[in-house]
């Protein structure tokens, strides 16, 4: 029974990822989750009390996977500059991944304060990864700089999500250049 419930919960989360990546937070509804999984809408409520609860669960499951991939890429880099570049490049490479697209949709959505706080905490964990590197590069305010760097990454992800005229490689190169050289190019 417990294994069956876990499978249904996983199916609901997978359906939520699909809905979010296809249509953003507006697409994430309990009728849509029920339709995608073949469960009755009342069954969806047995697993999640609200859309925010679904989002919180996705954050708990997906953000650590994403952060671990970014951290792994940074660990393989051998200089502080290469670590910053890996931080930017890995996140942008993940932008095409469905898990990541769901996280982007969640981050952009209208959510209750509890869900927003979970997302902020997850982003804070990402930012913390690069603070030490920025301190090693001599930044006086490495946490502030890390937050601004993440803003560049987030803007690049949004640009990709919009299907901008530039291809993703150009957006990535521009974001890496901005991260490493600022507006000096």
């Amino acid at each position: 029974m417990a294994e069956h419930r876990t499978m249904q919960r996983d199916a609901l989360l997978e359906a939520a990822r699909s809905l979010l990546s296809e249509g953003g937070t507006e697409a994430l509804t309990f009728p849509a989750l029920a339709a995608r999984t073949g469960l009755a809408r009342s069954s969806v409520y047995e697993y999640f009390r609200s859309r925010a609860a679904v989002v919180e669960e996705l954050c708990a499951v997906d953000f650590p996977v994403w952060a671990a991939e970014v951290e792994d890429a940074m660990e393989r880099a051998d200089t502080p500059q290469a670590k910053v570049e890996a931080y930017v490049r890995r996140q942008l490479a993940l932008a095409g991944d469905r898990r990541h697209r769901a996280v982007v949709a969640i981050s952009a959505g209208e959510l209750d304060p509890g869900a927003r706080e979970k997302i902020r905490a997850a982003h804070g964990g990402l930012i913390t990864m690069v603070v030490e590197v920025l301190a090693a590069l001599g930044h006086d305010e490495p946490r502030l700089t890390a937050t601004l760097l993440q803003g560049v990454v987030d803007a690049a992800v949004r640009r990709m999500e919009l299907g901008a005229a530039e291809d993703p490689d150009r957006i990535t190169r521009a974001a890496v250049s901005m991260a490493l050289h600022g507006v000096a190019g």
Side-chain angles (χ1 to χ4, degrees):
M1 181 68 180
E3 186 178 323
H4 180 68
R5 284 190 61 80
T6 301
M7 285 173 56
Q8 286 187 332
R9 185 179 202 84
D10 290 348
L12 285 165
L13 290 175
E14 192 54 37
R17 283 184 196 101
S18 294
L19 290 165
L20 284 164
S21 66
E22 292 163 17
T25 50
E26 307 78 49
L28 181 60
T29 65
F30 279 30
L33 283 171
R36 285 282 168 106
T37 56
L39 294 171
R41 194 184 323 180
S42 59
S43 295
V44 177
Y45 283 99
E46 289 177 30
Y47 293 90
F48 300 105
R49 69 190 182 293
S50 65
R51 277 182 357 147
V54 177
V55 167
E56 287 180 30
E57 182 76 11
L58 279 175
C59 287
V61 172
D62 291 352
F63 264 122
V65 172
W66 176 27
E69 290 197 34
V70 173
E71 190 169 30
D72 185 52
M74 289 176 70
E75 284 173 3
R76 288 194 309 270
D78 51 1
T79 66
Q81 287 87 349
K83 288 180 186 302
V84 170
E85 182 171 347
Y87 177 84
V88 173
R89 282 190 184 280
R90 190 65 196 128
Q91 286 191 69
L92 297 181
L94 289 169
D97 178 275
R98 200 153 52 98
R99 246 173 228 267
H100 181 74
R101 284 202 308 271
V103 168
V104 170
I106 288 166
S107 298
E110 291 302 310
L111 300 167
D112 69 32
R116 273 200 308 273
E117 187 48 46
K118 282 224 172 33
I119 290 165
R120 260 196 301 278
H123 271 285
L126 256 182
I127 289 166
T128 298
M129 281 191 251
V130 80
V131 169
E132 194 176 307
V133 174
L134 294 169
L137 285 170
H139 286 274
D140 291 340
E141 296 190 55
R143 180 157 280 286
L144 172 60
T145 304
T147 302
L148 297 173
L149 172 61
Q150 186 60 42
V152 169
V153 172
D154 293 344
V157 168
R158 277 193 304 280
R159 188 92 183 156
M160 289 175 178
E161 291 288 314
L162 289 171
E166 306 89 5
D167 75 12
D169 289 340
R170 284 188 61 200
I171 294 170
T172 298
R173 282 194 306 274
V176 167
S177 177
M178 181 69 109
L180 295 177
H181 311 294
V183 294

